[in-house]
Amino acid sequence: MLVTGKAILHHAHENEYAVGAFNVNNMEQVQAIIEAAEETKSPVIIQASQGGLQYAGVEYIAQMAKVAAEKASVPVAIHLDHGTDFKQIMLCIRNGFTSVMIDGSHYELEENIRKTKQIVEMAHAVGVSVEAELGKIGGTEDDISVDEKDATYTDPDEAEKFVAETGIDSLAIAVGTAHGPYKGEPKLDFDRIKIIKERLNMPIVLHGSSGVPEESIKKAVSLGINKINIDTDIRMVFHKAVKEFIASNPDTYDPRKIVGPARKAMKEVIAEKMNMFGSSDKAWK
Ligand code: G3H
Ligand code: 13P
Ligand code: ZN
């Protein structure tokens, strides 16, 4: 069942759980996500980054995700991850994405507001949901000083102003996570999550969630995170499964035999995440 990002995140916000948003670049990832969602009876978000769209093509990603969503018994949204470009966002909407992210986090606040508002006006006019970002999530860092933290983490006052002026449906916040593999253990600023949730009372999003320990994820969800982005953990399980298969079957050249076990391994990891995020058994008709 294809639905908007807003419908999925509104349900998660009202019922206090988080939905997994998993990045895709190919058919096997789309299928792994849907199989896991069906097995755990979870609503789910299939998302593609700029890189993913460049690799597969926006039409291929959109059509694969649409077939998957329409065949599924669980609610599925198709989302653009870290959109930066007006034209690309328009193209995704035209191809059937039901949710888009505009990432203006590298701009000054007023410019981020201006760019985000423009996307909200256009997307909402055609019933598409919008996620935006405030604060800097960035790449992996071993440790971060208090000064750096204040400069880069999402400021609750700014978040309130940003939401009021843009009319977005969900906000991605910087609270200590980073994209890609972590060198040390990530330390989340739970107080900040709590304050932002209380002030905004709307769906909030955690990026860079691969490699974050289970207890931290569960605590973040209990404090109000409603969308959890996962990419790296799926890439890693894909890589491990393909590597192991080729090591034990060096002469097998059939792509189905090489990639099939990776699809199964990805499905298992995704289902575990869904249980961890609290989205299992939350699918509605
Ligand atoms: O948020 C970033 C995602 O992990 C996408 O990464 O640009 O390599 O597709 P990518
Ligand atoms: P990870 O690759 O660290 O899981 O981050 C994914 C993400 O935030 C996509 O937007
Ligand atoms: Zn991200």
Side-chain angles (χ1 to χ4, degrees):
M1 176 169 66
L2 179 63
V3 300
T4 62
K6 185 176 180 172
I8 290 215
L9 294 183
H10 176 74
H11 190 266
H13 172 65
E14 289 295 312
N15 295 281
E16 301 177 355
Y17 67 93
V19 174
F22 303 97
N23 285 71
V24 298
N25 306 289
N26 65 20
M27 181 191 77
E28 283 76 11
Q29 289 173 317
V30 172
Q31 291 175 330
I33 293 165
I34 292 296
E35 281 172 32
E38 292 281 11
E39 186 181 287
T40 61
K41 301 186 179 57
S42 287
V44 70
I45 298 170
I46 295 177
Q47 65 185 14
S49 67
Q50 300 284 328
L53 295 175
Q54 269 161 26
Y55 173 77
V58 61
E59 295 91 348
Y60 277 87
I61 294 279
Q63 292 301 323
M64 285 191 297
K66 256 196 275 185
V67 168
E70 279 157 10
K71 281 182 70 173
S73 66
V74 296
V76 181
I78 307 173
H79 177 74
L80 169 65
D81 187 30
H82 293 283
T84 51
D85 173 50
F86 184 85
K87 275 195 191 158
Q88 173 120 67
I89 292 175
M90 290 288 277
L91 192 63
C92 286
I93 292 177
R94 201 163 173 208
N95 275 278
F97 281 52
T98 59
S99 179
V100 292
M101 176 181 186
I102 166 73
D103 179 357
S105 60
H106 45 289
Y107 294 110
E108 291 303 316
L109 180 64
E110 293 302 331
E111 184 61 2
N112 191 357
I113 290 176
R114 198 188 65 73
K115 286 205 156 30
T116 301
K117 204 170 160 192
Q118 183 189 36
I119 299 299
V120 170
E121 277 167 14
M122 180 269 291
H124 281 183
V126 290
V128 169
S129 324
V130 180
E131 172 184 335
E133 179 175 323
L134 193 61
K136 292 181 178 57
I137 292 162
T140 50
E141 279 143 74
D142 253 339
D143 224 335
I144 186 159
S145 71
V146 176
D147 283 356
E148 280 171 323
K149 224 170 152 170
D150 277 339
T152 55
Y153 284 13
T154 307
D155 178 79
D157 292 332
E158 284 189 1
E160 240 180 316
K161 174 180 158 76
F162 187 81
V163 169
E165 292 188 20
T166 57
I168 51 166
D169 303 294
S170 60
L171 181 70
I173 56 173
V175 288
T177 55
H179 293 109
Y182 289 96
K183 292 191 202 113
E185 186 173 299
K187 289 185 187 58
L188 273 62
D189 187 342
F190 295 111
D191 291 342
R192 197 176 293 261
I193 299 177
K194 186 167 182 284
I195 293 165
I196 294 173
K197 185 70 175 190
E198 281 167 4
R199 298 270 285 270
L200 302 185
N201 190 27
M202 68 182 285
I204 53 175
V205 182
L206 192 68
H207 282 241
S209 310
S210 293
V212 177
E214 179 162 0
E215 316 79 72
S216 298
I217 289 285
K218 286 186 167 162
K219 190 162 178 194
V221 174
S222 76
L223 294 170
I225 293 287
N226 302 115
K227 173 175 181 273
I228 300 188
N229 286 13
I230 298 280
D231 189 355
T232 303
D233 278 346
I234 303 177
R235 293 179 179 190
M236 284 179 164
V237 79
F238 177 91
H239 174 234
K240 182 168 180 278
V242 169
K243 200 171 60 177
E244 281 172 6
F245 181 84
I246 291 176
S248 338
N249 306 273
D251 298 324
T252 302
Y253 55 84
D254 182 340
R256 296 167 298 189
K257 298 211 165 95
I258 299 169
V259 178
R263 177 170 62 186
K264 188 165 177 292
M266 290 190 288
K267 187 214 93 179
E268 279 157 17
V269 163
I270 295 166
E272 276 170 30
K273 299 280 186 198
M274 289 169 165
N275 290 328
M276 193 191 297
F277 302 166
S279 68
S280 298
D281 294 321
K282 296 292 195 312
W284 66 90
K285 291 286 167 207

